[in-house]
Amino acid sequence: MDFLKCLPDFRRQKSTRYDLAEILACLVIAYISGCTSTLQAQAWCLEHMDLLQSIGLELANGMASYFTFQRVLRLLDTEMLFLEFTNWINETICCYGVQLAIDGKGLRGGTDRIHGCRTPYMLNIIEVSTKIIIASIPINSKTNEITAIPQALEMISLAANTVTIDAIGTYMDIIQAIDGNEGKYVLQVKKNNPEAYESLKRYFEQLDEKQKQKEQEEKEKQEAEKKHQTPKASTLDADTIEELNHLESTGWVCECNKERMEYRRVDVIRSFDYSHGGGNAGETILGFDSVLGKHAYCFRAIARMTTVRIPIEYDKDNNNVTPSLQELLSHGSATKPKPTIGNSLDDDIQCIGLITNDKLTAENIMKIKRDHWSSEAAHHILDVTFREDLSNAREAKFNASLLRKLAYNLVKLSVANGYVSHAERSTPCDMIKLTNSKMLKKLFFGQFRMLHIESK
């Protein structure tokens, strides 16, 4: 309530029959209780006025009309609302040594299709262990995430935290902004950095060939020793052997569900102290002519992540004929004789690069990348439980979205503070309906303990 009362009231004095903070609180409580639109929210609040008054809302002049709810949402200062939201959540939680995933989310229902406008987007910063949204800003329709990310980074503390962004965030301005605020990062290298991507891909392919050659020589050496023969001299030079010794890999890690099997592998080079090809190893991997290659001194590790997706297949007799990993790589499958290789999710074999300013192991990088994907759970809840994608608000789209995030964060904080147990969660989307007066009173008029989120 203190946060809501900080928002400036835009209305003229004679029209302030209903308190602005109370209207916004009613909206948030209605969203928590399962309402997905402003019309539903106003009807629910009108029906539950006794409940709202019992938890501390005065509602001296009764419940505002649906049109008042709409007008408040439409005319509320969006920039001030987002700034106050960020200040509130930063006063409520303290993040140190954790992973912060930055990702954009479209508000598809808010698209003005009549005038051919693009889908409005919001940029969210999510703490991956609790899935709490710690910052959220609208993306200007004339720009994109690249310009919004530096603004979002200025709003939060990055010290000792690891920032992960999709490939769109792999630009030197963003990298230097994270570095300058003592943050760490794990960023993707894809075809939006074409020279660096092709150079990295070619470099690791050459390492694969050298590794196969080394394994073949070791096998021949063992066979020669068994036959008491003199083994052949190695064709690999000292630099190559040293380079292979710096290569670290997780091996293939498999996850499967009813639809597909997914294999992942991370190969990482962490030491750039040796010379190779007449220059710094980081420049060699990312290309001397690429922007990332010229700034390779910023990186402490460079990796390649390979993901192979194998759909579960059945024959006409309902027998499982899904190929193994080796069979797919060698011969393909029944439906795809030649698997596609690329850097997008549509490819059967996805190969992307990763750069970081922290000396991470291959296992660390795989976990960080996996946790970045898990942040989509927050967007899933906003879409499925709060029906954010179906909201057809136009002028009030950003304000309504932020109030939904406020409701979402209150639920997450109630779990983190022990107000709600895991057994009390009622929906399959990891949300709860808080129609209990004691619970709502704690959320709006109680005092959250400062939540310290630290890496384990």
Side-chain angles (χ1 to χ4, degrees):
M1 289 303 295
D2 291 339
F3 151 63
L4 294 175
K5 288 176 181 177
C6 287
L7 297 171
D9 197 338
F10 55 86
R11 300 170 297 175
R12 294 189 300 271
Q13 191 65 31
K14 64 180 182 181
S15 62
T16 54
R17 182 181 178 187
Y18 303 102
D19 183 70
L20 178 65
E22 288 190 349
I23 292 175
L24 297 176
C26 286
L27 274 169
V28 174
I29 293 170
Y31 287 146
I32 292 175
S33 300
C35 300
T36 58
S37 68
T38 309
L39 183 62
Q40 287 181 5
Q42 193 274 340
W44 185 92
C45 291
L46 191 62
E47 184 180 348
H48 294 83
M49 272 191 63
D50 293 341
L51 171 66
L52 296 173
Q53 288 175 331
S54 70
I55 68 173
L57 296 179
E58 292 183 8
L59 301 176
N61 295 309
M63 184 56 60
S65 68
Y66 164 71
F67 297 103
T68 301
F69 273 57
Q70 282 284 74
R71 187 166 62 91
V72 165
L73 274 179
R74 187 176 69 253
L75 299 179
L76 193 63
D77 189 321
T78 302
E79 186 175 351
M80 184 62 71
L81 182 62
F82 280 83
L83 287 174
E84 289 295 337
F85 172 84
T86 305
N87 291 336
W88 166 71
I89 198 65
N90 286 334
E91 291 175 2
T92 307
I93 68 172
C94 176
C95 298
Y96 184 83
V98 299
Q99 181 179 343
L100 305 176
I102 300 180
D103 197 12
K105 182 186 180 303
L107 307 176
R108 304 190 186 284
T111 307
D112 189 351
R113 294 180 176 82
I114 295 176
H115 297 95
C117 296
R118 57 189 290 185
T119 300
Y121 270 80
M122 294 183 66
L123 191 72
N124 301 321
I125 303 180
I126 303 167
E127 198 285 309
V128 298
S129 63
T130 61
K131 307 297 187 293
I132 292 175
I133 299 172
I134 65 171
S136 182
I137 63 172
I139 299 175
N140 192 300
S141 60
K142 296 181 180 179
T143 61
N144 56 25
E145 292 179 40
I146 297 173
T147 56
I149 290 172
Q151 299 173 21
L153 292 174
E154 292 176 359
M155 300 168 67
I156 60 172
S157 172
L158 297 179
N161 295 327
T162 300
V163 177
T164 56
I165 318 174
D166 289 333
I168 196 170
T170 309
Y171 282 90
M172 286 312 305
D173 290 346
I174 295 173
I175 291 171
Q176 289 166 355
I178 298 172
D179 254 336
N181 288 292
E182 301 179 357
K184 302 174 184 177
Y185 56 80
V186 176
L187 303 178
Q188 301 181 34
V189 181
K190 289 187 177 181
K191 289 187 177 178
N192 59 324
N193 288 285
E195 299 92 349
Y197 176 77
E198 291 299 330
S199 179
L200 182 147
K201 182 181 175 184
R202 187 165 53 250
Y203 177 83
F204 276 99
E205 286 174 350
Q206 291 171 355
L207 281 187
D208 289 340
E209 292 298 323
K210 292 175 182 178
Q211 185 65 39
K212 289 179 182 178
Q213 185 180 350
K214 183 180 178 182
E215 291 172 357
Q216 181 63 29
E217 288 185 356
E218 288 177 353
K219 184 178 178 181
E220 292 176 355
K221 182 179 178 180
Q222 291 174 359
E223 291 177 354
E225 288 175 349
K226 287 180 181 179
K227 296 178 181 179
H228 306 288
Q229 296 176 352
T230 303
K232 295 180 181 178
S234 173
T235 58
L236 299 173
D237 56 31
D239 285 342
T240 297
I241 294 173
E242 183 182 4
E243 190 177 18
L244 291 173
N245 289 337
H246 286 294
L247 179 67
E248 182 185 324
S249 174
T250 59
W252 290 104
V253 177
C254 179
E255 286 186 12
C256 62
N257 54 37
K258 294 180 180 179
E259 296 181 354
R260 68 185 183 191
M261 299 178 69
E262 192 164 299
Y263 292 86
R264 301 189 196 95
R265 175 190 178 104
V266 171
D267 304 290
V268 61
I269 294 286
R270 285 189 291 145
S271 178
F272 296 158
D273 298 331
Y274 62 94
S275 296
H276 179 73
N280 182 276
E283 295 176 357
T284 303
I285 299 173
L286 295 172
F288 293 92
D289 297 328
S290 71
V291 175
L292 296 180
K294 292 175 182 177
H295 293 82
Y297 59 86
C298 298
F299 314 132
R300 304 291 296 279
I302 299 177
R304 173 191 63 181
M305 184 170 187
T306 308
T307 304
V308 181
R309 299 176 180 87
I310 308 177
I312 303 297
E313 297 180 2
Y314 296 91
D315 61 13
K316 60 182 181 180
D317 298 323
N318 205 31
N319 296 317
N320 192 327
V321 293
T322 306
S324 65
L325 175 64
Q326 290 73 23
E327 290 172 343
L328 180 80
L329 295 177
S330 303
H331 310 293
S333 65
T335 56
K336 293 184 178 180
K338 188 176 181 181
T340 57
I341 303 174
N343 67 348
S344 69
L345 293 174
D346 297 331
D347 296 307
D348 302 313
I349 303 174
Q350 183 192 32
C351 181
I352 63 172
L354 296 163
I355 54 176
T356 175
N357 61 345
D358 195 11
K359 280 201 170 184
L360 300 172
T361 65
E363 287 79 7
N364 294 149
I365 291 176
M366 180 173 282
K367 182 181 184 304
I368 288 172
K369 190 67 175 71
R370 187 72 183 85
D371 288 345
H372 179 77
W373 293 328
S374 71
S375 65
E376 291 292 337
H379 292 170
H380 178 75
I381 292 171
L382 289 170
D383 279 341
V384 175
T385 302
F386 291 107
R387 299 290 193 271
E388 187 171 69
D389 256 0
L390 298 180
S391 173
N392 58 2
R394 296 289 188 272
E395 297 178 21
K397 53 185 176 290
F398 293 129
N399 290 338
S401 175
L402 194 97
L403 291 180
R404 288 188 177 91
K405 291 180 175 68
L406 177 57
Y408 167 87
N409 273 356
L410 283 172
V411 173
K412 289 294 183 182
L413 287 168
S414 67
V415 176
N417 278 268
Y419 296 162
V420 179
S421 67
H422 287 263
E424 291 178 297
R425 301 179 186 184
S426 58
T427 70
C429 296
D430 197 25
M431 299 298 292
I432 53 176
K433 294 182 180 179
L434 300 175
T435 54
N436 182 290
S437 59
K438 291 183 180 179
M439 180 70 66
L440 290 172
K441 194 167 185 177
K442 281 184 178 180
L443 290 179
F444 281 84
F445 295 95
Q447 180 64 48
F448 278 124
R449 63 181 171 84
M450 184 63 155
L451 184 63
H452 292 270
I453 306 172
E454 297 186 14
S455 59
K456 296 182 180 180

